[in-house]
Amino acid sequence: METTGPTAPDLSDYLGLFRRQWWLVVLGCALGIGAAFAATQVMPKTYESVTSVLVQPAGQDTNVAGGRTKGDINLDTEAQLVGSTQIAVGAADLLRSGDAPGVLAKGVSVTVPPNTAVLEITYKAPDPAQAQAGSHAFAEAYLRNREASAQAGIDAQIAALTSKVKQLNTNLAQINTKLADLPESAASRPSLESQRSTNQSQLNSLSGKLNDLTTETVSAGKIISDAQLPSAPTKPNKKLNLATGAMLGLLLGLSVAVVRERVDRRVRAAADVQRASRMPVLAELTVASGPQLDEIFQPYAAGGRTFNRLRNEVLASLRTEDRVVVVTGASRGVASTLVAANLAAAMARSGSEVVLLGAHLPDSLVETAPLARLFGIGATPGLGDVLTGKVPLRAAVQRAPRVPSLRVITTGGTGSAGGLLQSQALRQVLAQLRRRDWYIVIDAPSTATSADAQSLARLADAAILTVELRRTRRPEVLDAVAQLTRVGTPLLGTVVIPRLVPSTDGHAELGDDDAEFSHDEDTPDFDDLRDLDSSGDVLRAGPRDLPRARPASKEDDSGDLSVAGVNLSGLRSRPTSPRRSPRVKTEDPDTAVLRRLDSETLRDMDRAANNGQHTAS
């Protein structure tokens, strides 16, 4: 199957990132808000007070051509004058302040509201009273300066007109003297009279203007809204600072979350597996699949239905002659053992004869003999003992008490089994098991611990990769896919399960559940089945090959039990250890196992066996 690099993340990936790293985002926001609040507390406070001044025409006010404001006054020019040094000197005198005029001018600002003749003079100071006094002082200094300038202009005009009037009066006096000395018939008399008339007219006009200027009242403007004492500082702006801190903290939290997500290469969802390896996810177990994962799921439980669907997909993918399926994990742990055991049980419940071969050497003491705990059978002898020649194959085959059509070969003694998974002895074991035309499910070691998974996959007809969420890393998934595809074995897909957390008693359980797994210590090992000959080859198993049912005791009212067409009431258990206390009630162990199954499950198993049980040729 083709494998390519990971695809680009989509919206669901970012939402998943936020769901996993939300606490970093919240922490970043909290830190940002806290830092902004602390900075706001230590920042110097600034108070503002505003005085509104209505500017009126005075003296020789003119507006430049193309000015922004309309009317006789250019308010932009007046706004610049408010901040000039001359106005600052007048404001300093009114404030009786020792600060330089340039320092005072830095605290003043002027705005012109649109379509008005009003100047809004704002003064900033670290104290509310200073802000109020400064705004009023600059407004008052501006009006005084404007009135003084206008009055100075009027005074200059009056002086000029007065000088002109004096000159005209002097000319009229000279003309009148000449006319008095001339006779009535003198030729120059008409000319002098004309000059006198002209000077008199000019004198009258200038006198009228002089009279107007003398009586004119100067009004440069007035304060229409005086400065008020500010009740709160305008800087620092607490709301703005907190919002800015929250945004910066949010960006910081998201950045740390993205970096942490990049550094953390663990697989967190089934979509990560499919995206990283481009392999289909055949099944996905969730925390809701069952109270714990250290067990074989019941067929109608949530986990059992998941493995039933997995069984159907596996069987549909196999060819007619394919019988061996290897299940391996991408990382250390017993995840592959769980999947292999439940897959084998699901296949056996369909009526097929199945052998579960435990080839997964434990990574730690906590994971020792997981198959024995899952099925309640003996941990030894097993595959390790068969490969080292300690016991024949028939001695290592045990029937699963809960699934009659399932035979289990545990890992067995692993002290001397290292390296034997790649030996010829294992090939001979698989060849002997293939002769019965049974399905063989191999629980293989993980690809991250050894090359045994490749060797076992080469002997199998199909492979399944198990991925444990929050433990398996994406590079391990890619490496596992590459290892299995290089040996030419078809990789059907992946099975995703939640992370398994070892409990205090050594069992594996879901990280979100506190339930523990336990089984009856007196459960038989079923290593004395008669379906193997002395050489280790598999014999035909029929009802006549099984031991006869022993007479039921008075205390045992269960009677003969028949499941999947096989009478199990006569199967004998392993002898009880002398150190164990004697049992008060003697009961066939198979009967004890089957008693724990409900009637519907028993009927289902019997129906499946009658329909699908086959006899080897």
Side-chain angles (χ1 to χ4, degrees):
M1 185 172 294
E2 181 183 2
T3 58
T4 61
T7 58
D10 53 13
L11 179 60
S12 61
D13 297 314
Y14 293 110
L15 293 178
L17 184 150
F18 180 78
R19 185 175 62 254
R20 293 187 295 269
Q21 310 290 346
W22 64 268
W23 63 274
L24 285 175
V25 179
V26 173
L27 179 61
C29 289
L31 291 177
I33 294 175
F37 180 79
T40 302
Q41 295 300 113
V42 300
M43 289 176 64
K45 294 179 174 57
T46 302
Y47 295 86
E48 294 182 359
S49 186
V50 181
T51 300
S52 299
V53 176
L54 177 62
V55 182
Q56 297 174 346
Q60 301 295 323
D61 284 332
T62 57
N63 195 352
V64 296
R68 183 175 67 90
T69 59
K70 305 298 182 181
D72 297 333
I73 306 172
N74 190 331
L75 295 180
D76 289 336
T77 303
E78 299 300 318
Q80 295 298 320
L81 291 176
V82 174
S84 64
T85 304
Q86 185 177 2
I87 305 300
V89 171
D93 294 339
L94 294 174
L95 291 172
R96 295 181 176 86
S97 174
D99 294 336
V103 177
L104 294 176
K106 292 181 179 179
V108 69
S109 59
V110 183
T111 58
V112 181
N115 303 321
T116 65
V118 176
L119 296 180
E120 293 183 347
I121 302 174
T122 304
Y123 190 78
K124 302 176 183 178
D127 183 75
Q130 292 180 7
Q132 181 187 23
S135 178
H136 179 80
F138 269 90
E140 189 67 30
Y142 166 72
L143 291 177
R144 290 183 181 184
N145 179 269
R146 181 172 172 76
E147 289 178 0
S149 299
Q151 188 63 47
I154 292 175
D155 292 342
Q157 293 181 39
I158 291 174
L161 290 176
T162 301
S163 176
K164 189 67 173 176
V165 168
K166 288 180 180 181
Q167 183 181 359
L168 290 176
N169 285 332
T170 302
N171 291 341
L172 283 176
Q174 292 177 359
I175 293 174
N176 288 333
T177 301
K178 290 180 180 181
L179 287 174
D181 294 341
L182 289 176
E184 293 293 334
S185 60
S188 60
R189 191 175 182 86
S191 176
L192 291 175
E193 290 179 353
S194 176
Q195 292 179 7
R196 183 180 63 182
S197 177
T198 301
N199 288 335
Q200 188 65 46
S201 298
Q202 292 179 357
L203 181 61
N204 294 336
S205 177
L206 292 176
S207 297
K209 291 182 179 180
L210 183 61
N211 185 50
D212 292 339
L213 290 175
T214 303
T215 59
E216 182 179 358
T217 300
V218 178
S219 178
K222 61 181 179 180
I223 296 176
I224 60 175
S225 178
D226 205 352
Q228 301 295 323
L229 185 67
S231 59
T234 56
K235 291 183 180 180
N237 190 331
K238 182 179 292 186
K239 293 182 179 180
L240 179 61
N241 289 349
L242 293 180
T244 303
M247 291 299 298
L248 294 178
L250 177 63
L251 293 177
L252 176 62
L254 289 175
S255 301
V256 174
V258 171
V259 172
R260 191 171 184 269
E261 192 77 8
R262 292 287 186 181
V263 174
D264 187 5
R265 307 301 299 277
R266 291 179 296 176
V267 177
R268 296 186 174 274
D272 296 340
V273 179
Q274 194 165 4
R275 185 182 304 104
S277 63
R278 301 304 296 271
M279 298 296 300
V281 177
L282 301 178
E284 178 182 5
L285 284 178
T286 61
V287 177
S289 298
Q292 55 192 13
L293 285 180
D294 195 7
E295 66 176 356
I296 301 300
F297 291 103
Q298 295 298 325
Y300 297 106
R305 291 193 297 268
T306 299
F307 279 102
N308 289 340
R309 291 193 296 268
L310 176 63
R311 171 202 63 201
N312 296 338
E313 295 186 18
V314 171
L315 294 179
S317 302
L318 296 178
R319 296 172 299 180
T320 305
E321 65 274 13
D322 293 340
R323 286 294 179 268
V324 182
V325 178
V326 63
V327 180
T328 182
S331 60
R332 293 176 178 269
V334 297
S336 61
T337 302
L338 170 72
V339 174
N342 279 277
L343 174 61
M347 295 174 68
R349 282 195 295 262
S350 67
S352 303
E353 295 290 339
V354 182
V355 177
L356 175 58
L357 184 62
H360 188 174
L361 303 181
D363 297 326
S364 64
L365 292 177
V366 177
E367 300 170 358
T368 303
L371 289 179
R373 292 201 309 270
L374 283 169
F375 292 100
I377 58 179
T380 56
L383 180 62
D385 304 296
V386 174
L387 296 182
T388 55
K390 295 181 179 180
V391 296
L393 177 60
R394 66 181 180 86
V397 177
Q398 305 179 61
R399 280 191 180 273
R402 304 180 188 179
V403 188
S405 298
L406 175 62
R407 295 168 175 82
V408 182
I409 302 177
T410 63
T411 307
T414 59
S416 59
L420 294 180
L421 295 181
Q422 304 182 32
S423 64
Q424 183 64 29
L426 179 62
R427 294 182 176 85
Q428 294 176 355
V429 169
L430 291 178
Q432 293 178 17
L433 295 176
R434 278 180 179 267
R435 295 176 186 175
R436 292 297 294 170
D437 198 25
W438 294 344
Y439 286 109
I440 305 171
V441 178
I442 303 177
D443 173 25
S446 68
T447 56
T449 57
S450 68
D452 293 334
Q454 269 189 316
S455 301
L456 293 172
R458 188 175 55 198
L459 303 176
D461 301 316
I464 297 175
L465 181 64
T466 303
V467 177
E468 189 175 354
L469 298 181
R470 298 190 299 113
R471 182 171 184 175
T472 305
R473 301 181 182 275
R474 287 189 290 272
E476 292 176 335
V477 176
L478 294 175
D479 179 66
V481 172
Q483 289 188 45
L484 297 177
T485 53
R486 287 193 189 107
V487 298
T489 302
L491 181 57
L492 303 183
T494 61
V495 176
V496 179
I497 67 173
R499 181 171 183 172
L500 301 176
V501 180
S503 62
T504 55
D505 61 352
H507 300 333
E509 61 183 10
L510 276 176
D512 296 340
D513 192 277
D514 297 331
E516 297 182 356
F517 171 81
S518 62
H519 62 275
D520 188 2
E521 294 181 355
D522 294 329
T523 302
D525 293 335
F526 289 94
D527 60 348
D528 57 345
L529 297 178
R530 307 302 185 186
D531 56 350
L532 296 173
D533 61 13
S534 59
S535 64
D537 200 359
V538 183
L539 290 174
R540 293 188 179 182
R544 290 178 296 178
D545 299 325
L546 296 176
R548 294 180 178 272
R550 66 168 185 257
S553 63
K554 296 181 180 180
E555 298 179 353
D556 188 3
D557 56 354
S558 60
D560 293 341
L561 296 180
S562 176
V563 177
V566 180
N567 189 352
L568 297 178
S569 60
L571 294 178
R572 61 184 178 88
S573 63
R574 179 175 296 193
T576 306
S577 174
R579 289 178 294 179
R580 293 182 179 176
S581 59
R583 299 176 60 91
V584 177
K585 181 178 180 179
T586 304
E587 186 180 33
D588 183 69
D590 302 14
T591 303
V593 171
L594 294 176
R595 277 183 181 277
R596 292 197 287 267
L597 301 178
D598 55 18
S599 58
E600 183 178 357
T601 303
L602 293 175
R603 287 196 302 269
D604 222 339
M605 294 168 58
D606 193 23
R607 189 185 312 112
N610 292 334
N611 293 335
Q613 188 176 19
H614 58 278
T615 303
S617 57

